Amino acid sequence: MRKRIQRTLVAVALITALLMCVLVTGALYLFVSNQLRSELMQTAATLGSMLLKQEDPVAFLSGGVYAERVTLVGADGTVLYESSRSTEGMDNHLSRTEIDEALTRGEGFAVRNSSTLGEARLYYALRLDSGMVLRVSGAQRTLLAMLLGVLGWILAGAVACVLLAVLLARPLTARLVKPINAIDLDHPLESDAYEELTPVLRRMDSQNARIAAQMERLTAQHNELDAILGSMREGLVLLDRRHIVLTMNAAACRLLQVEDNPIGKTMLAVTRSDELVKLLDAGMGESDMTLGGRVLHVSISVVEEGGMCILFQDVTDRTAAEESRRQFSANVSHELRTPLTTVSGYAELLSEGLVKPEDTREMGSRILRESRRLLTLIEDIIRLSRLDEGVTRELSGCDLKAIATACREKLQKLAEEKQITVTVTGTPRMVTGDRVLLEEMITNLMENGIKYNRPGGHVEVTVEQRGNRPQVTVQDDGVGIPKEHQPHVFERFYRVDKSRSKQSGGTGLGLSIVKHGALAHHAEIELQSEPGRGTRISLLFPPCQA
Ligand code: ADP
């Protein structure tokens, strides 16, 4: 812009200089012409008045010396006197414009180019009272000649102007541009720039406001999207067609164990998982893959221009739950088959009359025992299924001591059979819970204390307050549980001593029910056991709200 302004300034200076020179020369030319004209008029008037007094004007004129060329022409156009040469051979002058005009109007002017280049001649003719015409003429330089004459000056002036313009252009341009450069583009209306720029600055200001509003909207949308992506439990990754990461939300970073910024890197570089890259190469589809010990369900869909959108879901727990359900079903069918096979075997023998009458009683009691086992098993399975489904019965304030006392009464017969002493001590402690479930949990613990014990053994149930939390503890001095089995005894169908469990009518589900019951009551379980010395299991309930 600066250069352009500078160039324009120099050009304007040059043109102005040239124009001025031409105009001045033109004015000079007019002035000189007018000067000459009035000189000629004055000479003609003076000579004319002198000639009037002369009898022989030709003789009078011939005796004088004139700065201008003087001609005397008769009324018929004959040249009577010519100061510059002899009149001999001169043609009739009636055809001359100035002579013709003088004869008709009294005076006449004419300008004719002379034979000399660059010179013109101005003629003034005056009709005398005698009828003759006195003509005076003088030479004058033509306009072109004058121009050529002052050409040197014109050029010198133009050069001077250009030099001046060049010298002034830079500071002038800088002064001109300074307020424009000083405009604050963020707040254009606050700038003290040229008035002519006000419409542009207003427009700029309104555009600024529009851009700011759009930016605000975009930022809000961006933040909203970030919040949605950030709060998603599923991992979301967007890739371009070269598998370069465009977006990866927080859940995806967590699931894929990505710590550094993944944007702009390839998926292989980010995850180091060949399994995932194979899935990506295969294109759209769904599949499970393992990464860092977790099972991830991967859904891949192709988006615009060959890019990909990948959704990751952590299905480790779901897979584990499915596996445990599968195992549970297998165990259930196995556990059910054993007593059923026994029952149907004995029943077959009986129905075919292959049993001796004296053995009928024994066989009947075996069928009864196995049927009871089956029943208990089915009841336990139903209980666990209910707990799995989260089916809770009505919650109420329950006294743990009262429940433990009721359980002891229920198990009194079994305890007597096994010669075990069962005692319940402590103070009444209230918890908010499912009475039936609490009863089942405490019964299972006490029953285990009786079953896995020696004749003469003891089971002691203590109900007490630990801090602000109610606690019930079942302690026996029975066979105990070896250390390596302790972490597993709460698993379904897990038995330390299979034959002993079965012999005593155990289903392998008692402690599982205790575990799920504790979970449902937000209670903690503590297990301490030593083989040969006994087992102690505590249920620590949350502080009672009621
Ligand atoms: P079960 O019906 O076989 O008793 P549980 O789930 O109640 O099943 O117990 C799982 C296993 O833990 C039992 O088979 C037994 O081996 C062991 N166990 C449970 N309670 C005791 C205890 N008080 N003393 C010794 N072993 C026990």
Side-chain angles (χ1 to χ4, degrees):
M1 184 184 169
R2 279 166 186 267
K3 287 246 164 66
R4 206 164 166 170
I5 295 177
Q6 286 171 5
R7 275 205 301 271
T8 311
L9 274 175
V10 171
V12 167
L14 190 64
I15 291 167
T16 312
L18 288 171
L19 213 66
M20 280 303 291
C21 287
V22 170
L23 282 175
V24 166
T25 315
L28 203 66
Y29 172 77
L30 280 178
F31 175 77
V32 170
S33 294
N34 286 339
Q35 185 86 4
L36 181 61
R37 181 185 283 224
S38 57
E39 271 175 22
L40 290 177
M41 281 171 83
Q42 206 167 349
T43 309
T46 316
L47 266 178
S49 65
M50 285 165 82
L51 282 178
L52 282 179
K53 294 170 198 155
Q54 303 299 323
E55 275 184 20
D56 186 356
V58 175
F60 175 75
L61 287 173
S62 305
V65 179
Y66 310 103
E68 293 90 6
R69 192 176 139 194
V70 178
T71 313
L72 188 63
V73 180
D76 58 351
T78 321
V79 179
L80 301 172
Y81 173 76
E82 168 61 56
S83 65
S84 62
R85 52 173 280 201
S86 142
T87 56
E88 213 170 302
M90 284 182 80
D91 55 353
N92 190 293
H93 270 36
L94 272 182
S95 58
R96 302 288 202 279
T97 322
E98 70 279 4
I99 302 288
D100 183 44
E101 272 181 15
L103 283 172
T104 43
R105 290 208 301 268
E107 61 177 356
F109 275 105
V111 180
R112 281 194 291 279
N113 284 336
S114 77
S115 52
T116 319
L117 199 70
E119 214 176 63
R121 201 152 257 287
L122 188 66
Y123 294 90
Y124 175 66
L126 179 70
R127 192 182 67 202
L128 302 176
D129 289 345
S130 57
M132 287 183 289
V133 174
L134 179 64
R135 189 181 76 175
V136 187
S137 85
Q140 188 198 344
R141 293 175 80 186
T142 59
L143 182 62
L144 184 69
M146 276 182 92
L147 272 174
L148 287 171
V150 293
L151 188 66
W153 288 104
I154 291 177
L155 287 177
V159 169
C161 277
V162 169
L163 281 176
L164 200 68
V166 168
L167 278 177
L168 290 178
R170 191 176 273 269
L172 275 177
T173 314
R175 238 178 96 183
L176 212 65
V177 169
K178 198 177 167 193
I180 299 174
N181 283 341
I183 292 173
D184 179 359
L185 294 179
D186 290 331
H187 309 96
L189 290 182
E190 288 171 17
S191 310
D192 188 19
Y194 299 109
E195 203 179 305
E196 292 77 3
L197 288 179
T198 308
V200 179
L201 297 181
R202 275 212 193 101
R203 183 106 186 240
M204 206 183 268
D205 189 60
S206 71
Q207 274 181 350
N208 275 357
R210 217 175 307 148
I211 290 169
Q214 275 174 358
M215 281 301 288
E216 211 172 295
R217 240 192 337 269
L218 273 176
T219 313
Q221 280 174 357
H222 190 261
N223 290 345
E224 204 176 304
L225 196 71
D226 263 4
I228 293 170
L229 290 180
S231 61
M232 272 172 72
R233 282 178 60 231
E234 292 82 9
L236 183 108
V237 178
L238 279 179
L239 302 180
D240 71 4
R241 61 190 163 78
R242 289 166 299 155
H243 293 181
I244 287 176
V245 178
L246 301 174
T247 305
M248 186 178 280
N249 73 349
C253 288
R254 188 167 26 81
L255 292 173
L256 301 173
Q257 296 163 357
V258 176
E259 278 163 14
D260 299 332
N261 182 9
I263 309 298
K265 296 179 190 162
T266 63
M267 210 46 184
L268 179 65
V270 171
T271 61
R272 301 256 151 241
S273 164
D274 291 331
E275 199 180 347
L276 179 60
V277 173
K278 269 186 208 145
L279 288 177
L280 293 179
D281 287 340
M284 267 167 62
E286 305 210 356
S287 183
D288 284 352
M289 61 170 269
T290 45
L291 195 93
R294 311 288 302 170
V295 183
L296 302 180
H297 181 74
V298 189
S299 311
I300 301 170
S301 40
V302 176
V303 289
E304 265 174 42
E305 291 172 12
M308 282 180 175
C309 174
I310 319 168
L311 211 62
F312 294 95
Q313 251 178 307
D314 188 346
V315 290
T316 316
D317 295 341
R318 201 172 74 196
T319 314
E322 272 167 18
E323 178 56 27
S324 106
R325 247 197 306 278
R326 232 189 335 269
Q327 248 177 32
F328 182 60
S329 308
N331 284 336
V332 165
S333 45
H334 174 76
E335 293 291 332
L336 288 175
R337 188 172 291 129
T338 319
L340 266 174
T341 315
T342 316
V343 170
S344 70
Y346 287 143
E348 198 179 343
L349 288 175
L350 282 169
S351 65
E352 286 176 8
L354 295 172
V355 184
K356 290 185 207 152
E358 59 269 27
D359 293 336
T360 320
R361 199 182 166 84
E362 166 61 15
M363 209 155 278
S365 72
R366 277 188 194 174
I367 289 174
L368 189 66
R369 198 167 58 238
E370 290 302 320
S371 309
R372 279 196 182 137
R373 231 168 77 76
L374 258 176
L375 216 60
T376 320
L377 191 63
I378 289 165
E379 276 168 6
D380 279 356
I381 289 168
I382 290 169
R383 265 184 215 120
L384 263 178
S385 307
R386 280 210 187 116
L387 284 169
D388 273 350
E389 286 162 18
V391 179
T392 44
R393 277 164 280 200
E394 214 176 295
L395 299 181
S396 58
C398 309
D399 174 14
L400 291 175
K401 174 114 190 270
I403 292 174
T405 311
C407 293
R408 190 193 59 182
E409 276 160 26
K410 206 162 63 181
L411 294 168
Q412 190 56 40
K413 200 168 156 234
L414 178 72
E416 277 168 14
E417 275 173 22
K418 301 271 181 187
Q419 298 167 39
I420 308 291
T421 317
V422 180
T423 51
V424 175
T425 56
T427 47
R429 285 287 143 224
M430 298 301 288
V431 293
T432 306
D434 176 345
R435 171 176 285 281
V436 181
L437 184 55
L438 286 170
E439 215 174 294
E440 277 165 11
M441 289 158 68
I442 296 172
T443 307
N444 287 350
L445 292 177
M446 286 168 73
E447 198 177 342
N448 283 352
I450 298 166
K451 283 192 306 193
Y452 305 108
N453 214 323
R454 283 174 285 267
H458 299 85
V459 174
E460 192 178 332
V461 183
T462 316
V463 179
E464 60 196 334
Q465 188 81 0
R466 186 162 141 196
N468 61 347
R469 302 171 68 178
Q471 173 175 272
V472 57
T473 307
V474 180
Q475 179 154 18
D476 64 66
D477 48 3
V479 296
I481 306 167
K483 203 127 202 100
E484 66 274 22
H485 291 285
Q486 287 178 17
H488 304 291
V489 288
F490 293 95
E491 291 169 12
R492 294 166 189 200
F493 298 112
Y494 192 88
R495 296 164 174 116
V496 178
D497 183 345
K498 267 204 178 102
S499 58
R500 181 164 192 153
S501 163
K502 285 198 175 161
Q503 208 182 357
S504 55
T507 59
L509 295 174
L511 287 186
S512 288
I513 292 170
V514 173
K515 184 176 119 182
H516 280 84
L519 271 175
H521 286 89
H522 307 290
E524 288 167 32
I525 305 175
E526 283 174 11
L527 163 72
Q528 289 159 337
S529 185
E530 214 178 304
R533 301 200 62 175
T535 302
R536 177 190 155 99
I537 299 179
S538 298
L539 297 176
L540 185 61
F541 289 87
C544 184
Q545 309 292 323

